[in-house]
Each structure stands twice: as C-alpha cells, then as structure tokens.
Amino acid sequence: DLAPRERGADVVDGTAADAALRLLRQVETLIGFWGDAPPPVLRSGGLGVRELRRAAREIGAEDSAAALVVELAVAADLVGASENTASEWVPTTAADGWLAGGPEVRWALLARTWLDLPRLPGLVGRRDDAGRAVAALSDGVRRPLAGRDRRRILDALAELPPGTAAGSVAALADVLAWRAPRRGGRLRDEVVAWTLGEATTIGVVALDALSGPGRALLTAPDTIPAAMRAALPPPVEHVLLQADLTAVAPGRLDPELARELDLLADVESAGGATVY
C-alpha cells in the first residue's frame, strides 16, 4: 500500500513550477560561469571535486544538486568538452539557442534529457570498487538502465490521481521491490530516493506527487511545453525598488525585463521572489 496523501493538483503544479524556474536559473548561471571561467576536464574524464563545489556555490545549490545540474547541462548539449589540447568544460553553440527560448521550451529539453539519461548523478561523491570518489561527468556515473528504472518509479506515481502523493519514499520503494524483487541490484532502494529527489529538483515531482508537466513528460511529450506553461505563474512587468539599492521581483519576470535586470544587477537570492 502506497498510503497515498492528497496534496492538491494546483498546489503540486505551483510548487513544481517554482522548482522548474529555479532549475532554469541554475543552468543559465552555470552556462555564464563556465563561459567566463571554464573548468578543466580531468585526465580520466569528468569534473574535479573542487570545480564541482565552485559551481555549486555559484548556482546556489548543494553539491548533490549541482552534480545533477552539470550532468543535465552536458547531456542536453548545452555544455561540452572543448577540443583543444587542455580540454575544458565550455558552453556549446546550442546554449545560445536554448537561452533565447521561453521557459517552458527550455524546461522541456531538460526534463526529456533527464528522463532518458543513462547515468546516475546520485553516485557522484560515492566510492567506487577501487575506493576512489566518483566524479561528476565521469564514466563512473554511467548506468545504461537508469532511464528504464526512472520510468518505472514515475509510472508508479502516475497510477495515483493528480495531486496525490505516495505516503513516503520507503513505501514507494517497497511497492516497486514487491512488483520486481530481482530488478535494481544493490542500489535498488537508493535509486528510488535519488530519482524522487532529482525529479523534485527538476519539477517533475513536487511534494512527492507527480506534477502536471511530469505527467505530460511520461504520457505525451509533445504537450510538455503547454503543461508547464499552464503551471507557471503569469509573468510580472515590474520590480519593487528598495532604499538600499536592491530590487525585488515579486514573481516570474517578463523576459525583456529579466534581460535588462541581468545587465544591471546581480541576483542576491532567488525563490518565490527574486532579490537583485
């Protein structure tokens, strides 16, 4: 029994939209940061621990969330390894087109990329069989069946009505283990927790319930932008100026105003309202 809990479809979708906007800001910040100061590619491939921590500080995320962001950026071809002698992680030409798109289109690319990603970002920082820490963007994160397991977990949530959450991560893991006891290996239950955490960071899941855009991701990929557009709050065309030279954006900014503020100011904190 999943011991479902009712969250409310509108609450779930609104929370997911906030997470989606936060993810887009983080990817945009990473592209700009690595465009100015690209980190080196390790000789064994991947991204060094120190560089991952620098990226995490820059985008305002924990190391685990930053690992997911860099894995998504590379898998979506927004960032790639340069082909010069001293290879570095740099933005690609595809990043320009992505940055010019609307939030629902940009999110759709990241969500589709994550769903089929043949890698487990949750492995970053863990020790491999040789006792070495697994680096982000390295071969140690590669798991060809990760996408299949991700879909199984989300399909179980999709069986619940919209706005309804699983009672707990453990309950969901128990149901999946009962249905397929030999599938998943030694990381079976951990993959469930990692998948729900990543899905929450991206906005596919919110409050342990599948969001409307997340449901579209599973069942009708062509409708993902429309589903996210419906979940996003309407853009605002004003900011509140404070006496200490800060500006508060009380919601998602109109794209033109957001571009102007990016030229004029730095983001101090982001969330439901963004402080510049």
Side-chain angles (χ1 to χ4, degrees):
D1 182 14
L2 277 175
R5 293 178 291 174
E6 179 60 36
R7 300 293 197 188
D10 291 342
V11 173
V12 169
D13 287 356
T15 305
D18 286 342
L21 291 174
R22 189 181 311 113
L23 173 70
L24 294 179
R25 281 195 297 267
Q26 289 173 338
V27 175
E28 291 167 11
T29 303
L30 180 74
I31 290 172
F33 180 50
W34 282 3
D36 294 334
V41 177
L42 296 176
R43 276 186 291 182
S44 57
L47 179 71
V49 174
R50 187 164 46 187
E51 297 297 341
L52 177 62
R53 289 176 180 163
R54 286 182 62 198
R57 286 195 300 270
E58 188 70 20
I59 68 175
E62 299 291 333
D63 288 359
S64 57
L68 172 63
V69 170
V70 300
E71 289 280 351
L72 280 179
V74 171
D77 195 32
L78 304 177
V79 171
S82 63
E83 297 181 358
N84 50 14
T85 304
S87 188
E88 297 172 319
W89 296 108
V90 296
T92 66
T93 54
D96 294 331
W98 182 82
L99 290 168
E104 63 277 4
V105 176
R106 287 182 285 152
W107 184 84
L109 173 63
L110 296 179
R112 286 195 299 263
T113 298
W114 170 76
L115 183 62
D116 295 322
L117 187 68
R119 301 171 65 79
L120 283 180
L123 289 172
V124 174
R126 292 173 65 102
R127 298 288 172 178
D128 61 16
D129 294 338
R132 295 185 296 266
V134 177
L137 305 179
S138 70
D139 286 341
V141 186
R142 182 169 176 78
R143 292 293 187 279
L145 298 180
R148 180 204 66 180
D149 293 336
R150 216 170 271 129
R151 286 180 179 272
R152 282 188 66 238
I153 295 165
L154 296 180
D155 283 341
L157 285 181
E159 295 171 7
L160 298 172
T164 304
S168 67
V169 175
L172 180 60
D174 287 345
V175 167
L176 292 169
W178 183 82
R179 291 178 178 177
R182 298 181 61 186
R183 180 175 289 178
R186 59 188 175 87
L187 294 176
R188 181 186 64 195
D189 294 348
E190 287 178 282
V191 168
V192 176
W194 291 344
T195 298
L196 285 186
E198 293 169 10
T200 301
T201 297
I202 294 169
V204 172
V205 166
L207 306 175
D208 292 336
L210 193 66
S211 67
R215 207 170 286 272
L217 175 67
L218 287 177
T219 60
D222 292 342
T223 67
I224 296 173
M228 178 51 72
R229 192 180 304 115
L232 288 171
V236 297
E237 298 180 341
H238 67 279
V239 295
L240 308 175
L241 296 176
Q242 310 293 311
D244 60 352
L245 295 183
T246 61
V248 179
R252 177 170 67 100
L253 286 178
D254 174 80
E256 185 176 347
L257 178 55
R259 282 192 291 270
E260 287 190 26
L261 270 179
D262 285 340
L263 293 174
L264 293 168
D266 298 316
V267 174
E268 184 178 86
S269 64
T274 304
V275 179
Y276 293 84

